[in-house]
Coordinates of all heavy atoms in Angstrom, one line a residue:
M18 N -47.7 165.8 133.2 CA -48.6 166.4 134.2 C -49.6 165.3 134.5 O -50.0 165.1 135.7 CB -49.3 167.6 133.6 CG -50.3 168.3 134.5 SD -49.6 168.9 136.0 CE -48.8 170.3 135.4
T19 N -50.1 164.5 133.6 CA -51.1 163.5 133.8 C -50.7 162.5 134.9 O -51.3 162.1 135.7 CB -51.5 162.8 132.5 OG1 -52.1 163.8 131.7 CG2 -52.6 161.8 132.8
G20 N -49.4 162.0 134.7 CA -48.8 161.1 135.6 C -48.8 161.6 137.0 O -49.1 160.9 137.9
R21 N -48.4 162.9 137.1 CA -48.4 163.5 138.5 C -49.8 163.6 139.1 O -50.0 163.2 140.3 CB -47.8 164.9 138.5 CG -46.3 164.8 138.3 CD -45.8 166.3 138.2 NE -44.3 166.2 137.8 CZ -43.4 166.4 138.7 NH1 -43.6 166.6 140.0 NH2 -42.1 166.4 138.3
L22 N -50.7 163.9 138.3 CA -52.1 164.1 138.8 C -52.7 162.7 139.1 O -53.4 162.5 140.2 CB -53.0 164.7 137.8 CG -52.6 166.2 137.5 CD1 -53.5 166.8 136.4 CD2 -52.8 167.0 138.8
D23 N -52.3 161.6 138.3 CA -52.7 160.3 138.6 C -52.2 159.9 140.0 O -53.0 159.3 140.8 CB -52.3 159.4 137.5 CG -53.0 159.4 136.2 OD1 -54.0 160.1 136.1 OD2 -52.5 158.9 135.2
H24 N -51.0 160.1 140.2 CA -50.4 159.8 141.5 C -51.0 160.5 142.6 O -51.4 159.8 143.7 CB -48.9 160.1 141.4 CG -48.1 159.9 142.8 ND1 -47.8 158.7 143.2 CD2 -47.8 160.8 143.7 CE1 -47.3 158.7 144.4 NE2 -47.2 160.0 144.7
L25 N -51.4 161.8 142.5 CA -52.0 162.5 143.6 C -53.4 162.0 143.8 O -53.8 161.9 144.9 CB -52.0 164.0 143.2 CG -50.7 164.7 143.2 CD1 -50.8 166.1 142.6 CD2 -50.0 164.7 144.6
E26 N -54.1 161.6 142.7 CA -55.4 161.2 142.9 C -55.4 159.7 143.6 O -56.2 159.5 144.4 CB -56.1 161.0 141.5 CG -57.6 160.7 141.5 CD -58.2 160.8 140.2 OE1 -57.5 160.6 139.1 OE2 -59.4 161.1 140.1
R27 N -54.5 158.9 143.2 CA -54.3 157.5 143.8 C -54.0 157.7 145.3 O -54.4 156.9 146.1 CB -53.3 156.7 143.1 CG -53.8 156.0 141.8 CD -52.8 155.0 141.4 NE -51.5 155.5 141.1 CZ -51.0 156.1 140.0 NH1 -51.8 156.2 139.0 NH2 -49.8 156.4 139.9
A28 N -53.2 158.7 145.6 CA -52.9 158.9 147.0 C -54.0 159.6 147.8 O -53.9 159.7 149.0 CB -51.6 159.8 147.1
G29 N -55.1 159.9 147.2 CA -56.2 160.5 147.8 C -56.0 162.0 148.2 O -56.8 162.5 149.1
L30 N -55.2 162.7 147.5 CA -54.9 164.0 147.8 C -55.7 165.0 146.9 O -56.0 166.2 147.4 CB -53.4 164.3 147.6 CG -52.4 163.5 148.5 CD1 -51.0 163.8 148.1 CD2 -52.7 163.8 149.9
V31 N -56.1 164.6 145.7 CA -56.9 165.4 144.8 C -58.0 164.5 144.3 O -58.0 163.3 144.2 CB -56.1 166.1 143.7 CG1 -55.0 167.0 144.2 CG2 -55.5 165.0 142.8
E32 N -59.1 165.2 143.9 CA -60.2 164.6 143.1 C -60.3 165.4 141.8 O -60.3 166.6 141.7 CB -61.5 164.7 143.8 CG -61.5 163.9 145.1 CD -62.8 164.1 145.9 OE1 -63.5 165.1 145.7 OE2 -63.0 163.2 146.8
R33 N -60.6 164.6 140.7 CA -60.8 165.2 139.4 C -62.3 165.1 139.1 O -63.0 164.1 139.3 CB -60.0 164.4 138.3 CG -58.6 164.9 138.1 CD -58.1 164.2 137.0 NE -57.2 163.1 137.4 CZ -56.1 162.6 136.7 NH1 -55.9 163.1 135.5 NH2 -55.4 161.7 137.2
S34 N -62.8 166.2 138.4 CA -64.1 166.2 137.8 C -64.0 166.9 136.5 O -63.2 167.7 136.2 CB -65.1 166.9 138.8 OG -64.7 168.2 139.0
L35 N -65.0 166.5 135.6 CA -65.1 167.2 134.4 C -65.5 168.6 134.5 O -66.3 169.0 135.3 CB -66.0 166.5 133.5 CG -65.7 165.2 132.9 CD1 -66.8 164.5 132.1 CD2 -64.5 165.3 131.9
D36 N -64.8 169.5 133.8 CA -65.1 170.9 133.8 C -66.4 171.1 132.9 O -66.5 170.8 131.8 CB -64.0 171.8 133.1 CG -64.2 173.2 133.1 OD1 -65.4 173.6 133.1 OD2 -63.2 174.0 133.1
P37 N -67.5 171.5 133.6 CA -68.7 171.6 132.9 C -68.7 172.6 131.7 O -69.5 172.5 130.7 CB -69.8 172.1 133.9 CG -69.0 172.6 135.0 CD -67.6 172.0 135.0
G38 N -67.8 173.5 131.7 CA -67.7 174.6 130.6 C -66.8 174.1 129.5 O -66.8 174.7 128.4
D39 N -66.1 173.0 129.7 CA -65.0 172.6 128.7 C -64.9 171.1 128.9 O -64.0 170.7 129.7 CB -63.8 173.3 128.8 CG -62.8 173.0 127.7 OD1 -63.0 172.0 126.9 OD2 -61.7 173.6 127.6
R40 N -65.5 170.2 128.1 CA -65.4 168.8 128.3 C -64.0 168.2 128.0 O -63.8 167.1 128.3 CB -66.4 168.1 127.4 CG -67.9 168.4 127.8 CD -68.9 167.8 126.9 NE -68.5 166.6 126.3 CZ -69.2 165.6 126.0 NH1 -70.5 165.6 126.2 NH2 -68.7 164.5 125.3
R41 N -63.2 169.0 127.5 CA -61.8 168.6 127.3 C -60.9 168.8 128.5 O -59.8 168.3 128.6 CB -61.1 169.4 126.1 CG -61.8 169.3 124.8 CD -61.2 170.3 123.8 NE -61.6 171.6 124.3 CZ -61.2 172.7 123.8 NH1 -60.4 172.8 122.9 NH2 -61.6 173.9 124.3
S42 N -61.5 169.5 129.6 CA -60.7 169.8 130.7 C -61.3 169.2 132.0 O -62.4 168.8 132.0 CB -60.7 171.3 130.9 OG -60.1 171.9 129.8
F43 N -60.5 169.1 132.9 CA -60.8 168.6 134.3 C -60.6 169.7 135.3 O -59.7 170.6 135.2 CB -60.0 167.4 134.7 CG -60.3 166.1 133.9 CD1 -59.5 165.8 132.8 CD2 -61.3 165.3 134.4 CE1 -59.9 164.6 132.1 CE2 -61.6 164.1 133.7 CZ -60.9 163.8 132.6
R44 N -61.4 169.7 136.4 CA -61.1 170.5 137.5 C -60.5 169.6 138.6 O -60.9 168.5 138.8 CB -62.4 171.1 138.0 CG -62.9 172.2 137.1 CD -64.1 172.9 137.6 NE -64.6 173.9 136.8 CZ -65.5 174.8 137.0 NH1 -66.0 174.8 138.2 NH2 -65.8 175.7 136.1
L45 N -59.5 170.2 139.3 CA -58.9 169.5 140.4 C -59.4 170.1 141.7 O -59.5 171.3 141.9 CB -57.4 169.5 140.4 CG -56.8 168.8 139.3 CD1 -55.2 169.0 139.3 CD2 -57.0 167.3 139.4
T46 N -59.7 169.3 142.7 CA -60.1 169.8 144.0 C -59.2 169.0 145.0 O -59.1 167.8 144.9 CB -61.6 169.5 144.3 OG1 -62.4 170.0 143.3 CG2 -62.0 170.0 145.7
L47 N -58.7 169.7 146.0 CA -57.9 169.1 147.1 C -58.9 168.4 148.0 O -60.0 168.9 148.3 CB -57.2 170.1 147.9 CG -55.9 170.7 147.2 CD1 -55.4 171.9 148.0 CD2 -54.8 169.6 147.2
T48 N -58.6 167.2 148.4 CA -59.4 166.5 149.4 C -59.0 167.0 150.8 O -58.1 167.7 150.9 CB -59.1 165.0 149.3 OG1 -57.8 164.7 149.6 CG2 -59.4 164.4 147.9
S49 N -59.8 166.6 151.8 CA -59.4 166.9 153.1 C -58.0 166.4 153.5 O -57.2 167.1 154.1 CB -60.5 166.5 154.1 OG -60.6 165.1 154.1
T50 N -57.7 165.2 153.0 CA -56.3 164.7 153.1 C -55.3 165.5 152.5 O -54.3 165.8 153.1 CB -56.3 163.3 152.7 OG1 -57.2 162.5 153.3 CG2 -54.9 162.6 152.8
G51 N -55.6 166.0 151.3 CA -54.7 166.9 150.5 C -54.5 168.2 151.3 O -53.3 168.7 151.3
L52 N -55.5 168.8 151.8 CA -55.4 170.0 152.5 C -54.6 169.9 153.8 O -53.7 170.7 154.1 CB -56.8 170.6 152.9 CG -57.6 171.2 151.8 CD1 -59.0 171.5 152.2 CD2 -57.0 172.5 151.4
G53 N -54.8 168.8 154.4 CA -54.0 168.4 155.7 C -52.5 168.3 155.3 O -51.6 168.8 156.1
H54 N -52.3 167.6 154.2 CA -50.9 167.4 153.7 C -50.2 168.8 153.4 O -49.0 169.0 153.8 CB -50.9 166.5 152.5 CG -49.6 166.1 152.1 ND1 -48.7 165.2 152.7 CD2 -48.9 166.4 150.9 CE1 -47.6 165.0 152.1 NE2 -47.7 165.8 151.0
I55 N -50.9 169.6 152.7 CA -50.4 170.9 152.3 C -50.1 171.8 153.7 O -49.1 172.4 153.7 CB -51.3 171.7 151.4 CG1 -51.2 171.0 150.0 CG2 -50.9 173.1 151.4 CD1 -52.1 171.7 149.0
D56 N -51.0 171.7 154.6 CA -50.8 172.5 155.8 C -49.5 171.9 156.5 O -48.7 172.7 157.0 CB -51.9 172.2 156.8 CG -53.2 173.1 156.4 OD1 -53.0 174.0 155.6 OD2 -54.2 172.8 156.9
T57 N -49.3 170.6 156.5 CA -48.1 170.1 157.1 C -46.8 170.5 156.4 O -45.9 170.9 157.0 CB -48.2 168.5 157.2 OG1 -49.3 168.1 158.0 CG2 -46.9 167.9 157.8
V58 N -46.9 170.3 155.1 CA -45.7 170.6 154.3 C -45.3 172.1 154.4 O -44.1 172.5 154.5 CB -45.9 170.2 152.8 CG1 -44.8 170.7 151.9 CG2 -46.0 168.7 152.7
L59 N -46.3 173.0 154.3 CA -46.0 174.4 154.4 C -45.5 174.8 155.7 O -44.6 175.7 155.9 CB -47.3 175.2 154.0 CG -47.7 175.2 152.5 CD1 -49.0 176.0 152.3 CD2 -46.6 175.6 151.7
T60 N -46.0 174.2 156.8 CA -45.6 174.5 158.1 C -44.1 174.1 158.3 O -43.3 174.8 158.8 CB -46.5 173.8 159.2 OG1 -47.8 174.3 159.1 CG2 -46.0 174.0 160.6
E61 N -43.8 172.8 157.8 CA -42.4 172.3 157.8 C -41.5 173.2 157.0 O -40.4 173.5 157.4 CB -42.3 170.9 157.4 CG -43.0 169.9 158.3 CD -43.1 168.5 157.8 OE1 -42.7 168.3 156.5 OE2 -43.6 167.7 158.5
R62 N -41.9 173.7 155.8 CA -41.1 174.5 155.0 C -40.8 175.9 155.7 O -39.7 176.4 155.6 CB -41.8 174.7 153.7 CG -41.1 175.6 152.7 CD -39.7 175.1 152.2 NE -39.7 173.8 151.8 CZ -39.5 173.4 150.5 NH1 -39.3 174.3 149.6 NH2 -39.5 172.1 150.2
A63 N -41.9 176.5 156.3 CA -41.7 177.7 156.9 C -40.7 177.6 158.1 O -39.8 178.4 158.3 CB -43.0 178.3 157.5
A64 N -40.8 176.5 158.8 CA -39.8 176.2 159.9 C -38.4 176.1 159.4 O -37.4 176.6 160.0 CB -40.3 175.0 160.7
A65 N -38.3 175.4 158.3 CA -36.9 175.2 157.7 C -36.4 176.6 157.2 O -35.2 176.8 157.4 CB -37.0 174.2 156.6
L66 N -37.2 177.4 156.6 CA -36.7 178.7 156.2 C -36.3 179.6 157.4 O -35.3 180.3 157.4 CB -37.8 179.4 155.4 CG -38.0 178.8 154.0 CD1 -39.2 179.4 153.3 CD2 -36.8 179.0 153.1
R67 N -37.1 179.5 158.5 CA -36.8 180.3 159.6 C -35.3 179.8 160.2 O -34.5 180.6 160.6 CB -37.8 180.1 160.8 CG -39.0 181.0 160.6 CD -39.9 181.1 161.9 NE -40.5 179.8 162.2 CZ -41.6 179.3 161.6 NH1 -42.2 179.9 160.6 NH2 -42.0 178.0 161.9
R68 N -35.1 178.5 160.3 CA -33.9 178.0 160.7 C -32.7 178.4 159.7 O -31.7 178.7 160.2 CB -33.9 176.4 160.8 CG -34.7 175.9 161.9 CD -34.5 174.4 162.1 NE -34.7 173.6 160.9 CZ -35.9 173.1 160.5 NH1 -37.0 173.4 161.3 NH2 -36.0 172.4 159.5
L69 N -33.0 178.4 158.4 CA -32.0 178.8 157.5 C -31.5 180.2 157.7 O -30.3 180.5 157.6 CB -32.6 178.6 156.1 CG -31.6 178.9 154.9 CD1 -30.5 177.8 154.8 CD2 -32.5 178.8 153.6
V70 N -32.4 181.2 158.0 CA -32.0 182.6 158.2 C -31.8 183.0 159.6 O -31.3 184.1 159.8 CB -33.0 183.5 157.5 CG1 -33.2 183.2 156.0 CG2 -34.4 183.4 158.2
S71 N -31.9 182.1 160.5 CA -31.8 182.5 161.9 C -30.4 182.9 162.3 O -30.3 183.7 163.2 CB -32.2 181.3 162.8 OG -31.3 180.2 162.7
G72 N -29.4 182.4 161.6 CA -28.0 182.9 161.9 C -27.5 184.2 161.2 O -26.4 184.6 161.5
L73 N -28.4 184.7 160.4 CA -28.0 185.9 159.8 C -28.0 187.2 160.7 O -28.9 187.3 161.5 CB -28.9 186.3 158.6 CG -29.0 185.3 157.4 CD1 -30.0 185.7 156.4 CD2 -27.6 185.2 156.8
S74 N -27.0 188.1 160.5 CA -27.0 189.3 161.2 C -28.1 190.2 160.7 O -28.6 189.9 159.5 CB -25.6 189.9 161.0 OG -25.5 190.4 159.7
P75 N -28.5 191.2 161.3 CA -29.5 192.1 160.9 C -29.1 192.7 159.5 O -29.9 192.9 158.6 CB -29.6 193.2 161.8 CG -29.2 192.5 163.2 CD -28.2 191.5 162.7
E76 N -27.8 193.0 159.3 CA -27.4 193.6 158.0 C -27.5 192.6 156.9 O -27.9 192.9 155.8 CB -25.9 194.1 158.2 CG -25.7 195.2 159.2 CD -25.7 194.8 160.6 OE1 -25.5 193.5 160.9 OE2 -25.8 195.7 161.4
D77 N -27.1 191.3 157.2 CA -27.2 190.2 156.2 C -28.7 190.0 155.9 O -29.0 189.7 154.7 CB -26.5 189.0 156.7 CG -25.0 189.1 156.6 OD1 -24.4 190.0 156.0 OD2 -24.4 188.2 157.3
S78 N -29.5 190.0 156.9 CA -30.9 189.8 156.6 C -31.5 190.9 155.7 O -32.3 190.6 154.8 CB -31.7 189.8 157.9 OG -33.0 189.6 157.8
A79 N -31.1 192.1 155.9 CA -31.5 193.3 155.2 C -31.1 193.1 153.7 O -31.7 193.3 152.7 CB -31.1 194.6 155.7
T80 N -29.8 192.7 153.5 CA -29.2 192.4 152.2 C -30.0 191.3 151.4 O -30.3 191.5 150.4 CB -27.8 192.1 152.3 OG1 -27.0 193.2 152.9 CG2 -27.1 191.8 151.0
L81 N -30.2 190.2 152.2 CA -30.9 189.2 151.6 C -32.3 189.5 151.2 O -32.8 189.3 150.0 CB -31.0 187.9 152.6 CG -31.8 186.8 152.1 CD1 -31.3 186.2 150.8 CD2 -31.9 185.7 153.2
T82 N -33.0 190.3 152.0 CA -34.4 190.9 151.7 C -34.3 191.7 150.4 O -35.1 191.5 149.5 CB -34.9 191.6 152.9 OG1 -35.0 190.7 154.0 CG2 -36.3 192.2 152.5
R83 N -33.3 192.6 150.3 CA -33.2 193.4 149.2 C -32.9 192.6 147.9 O -33.6 192.9 146.8 CB -32.1 194.4 149.4 CG -31.9 195.4 148.2 CD -30.6 196.3 148.5 NE -29.4 195.6 148.8 CZ -28.6 195.0 147.9 NH1 -29.0 194.9 146.7 NH2 -27.5 194.4 148.3
I84 N -32.1 191.6 148.0 CA -31.8 190.8 146.8 C -33.1 190.0 146.4 O -33.4 189.9 145.3 CB -30.6 189.8 147.1 CG1 -29.3 190.7 147.3 CG2 -30.4 188.8 146.1 CD1 -28.2 189.9 147.8
L85 N -33.7 189.4 147.3 CA -34.9 188.6 147.0 C -36.0 189.5 146.4 O -36.7 189.0 145.4 CB -35.5 187.8 148.3 CG -34.5 186.8 148.8 CD1 -35.0 186.2 150.2 CD2 -34.4 185.6 147.7
R86 N -36.2 190.7 146.9 CA -37.2 191.5 146.4 C -36.8 191.9 144.9 O -37.6 192.0 144.0 CB -37.3 192.9 147.2 CG -38.1 192.6 148.4 CD -38.4 193.9 149.1 NE -39.2 193.6 150.3 CZ -39.1 194.3 151.4 NH1 -38.2 195.2 151.6 NH2 -39.9 194.0 152.4
T87 N -35.5 192.1 144.6 CA -35.0 192.4 143.3 C -35.3 191.3 142.3 O -35.8 191.4 141.2 CB -33.6 192.8 143.3 OG1 -33.3 193.9 144.1 CG2 -33.0 193.0 141.9
M88 N -35.0 190.1 142.8 CA -35.3 188.8 142.1 C -36.8 188.7 141.8 O -37.2 188.3 140.7 CB -34.7 187.6 142.8 CG -33.2 187.6 142.9 SD -32.6 186.3 143.9 CE -33.0 184.8 143.0
L89 N -37.6 188.9 142.8 CA -39.1 188.8 142.6 C -39.6 189.8 141.6 O -40.4 189.5 140.7 CB -39.8 188.9 143.8 CG -39.7 187.7 144.8 CD1 -40.3 188.0 146.2 CD2 -40.4 186.5 144.2
A90 N -39.1 191.0 141.6 CA -39.5 192.0 140.8 C -39.2 191.7 139.3 O -39.8 192.0 138.4 CB -38.8 193.4 141.1
A91 N -38.1 190.9 139.1 CA -37.7 190.6 137.8 C -38.6 189.6 137.1 O -38.7 189.5 135.9 CB -36.2 190.0 137.8
I92 N -39.3 188.8 137.9 CA -40.2 187.8 137.3 C -41.7 188.2 137.4 O -42.5 187.5 137.0 CB -40.1 186.4 138.1 CG1 -40.3 186.5 139.6 CG2 -38.6 185.9 137.8 CD1 -40.4 185.1 140.2
A93 N -42.0 189.3 138.0 CA -43.3 189.8 138.1 C -43.8 190.6 137.0 O -43.1 191.0 136.2 CB -43.5 190.6 139.4

């Protein structure tokens, strides 16, 4: 985890600060660059998912929705 956070910090995507309530811990804050990056990535991911399901028939879409809901319920 530390290596990943170091990379994100060097890239200017997050900032670390000491947790005032627990000196053993750090708090992470997304920088404005990090927020912009997340917006871009999430927008691209949503578009990719729309393309992925765009060819499904209404019946297949309903089946997929049912299966995904069942899977989500199993981990909730």
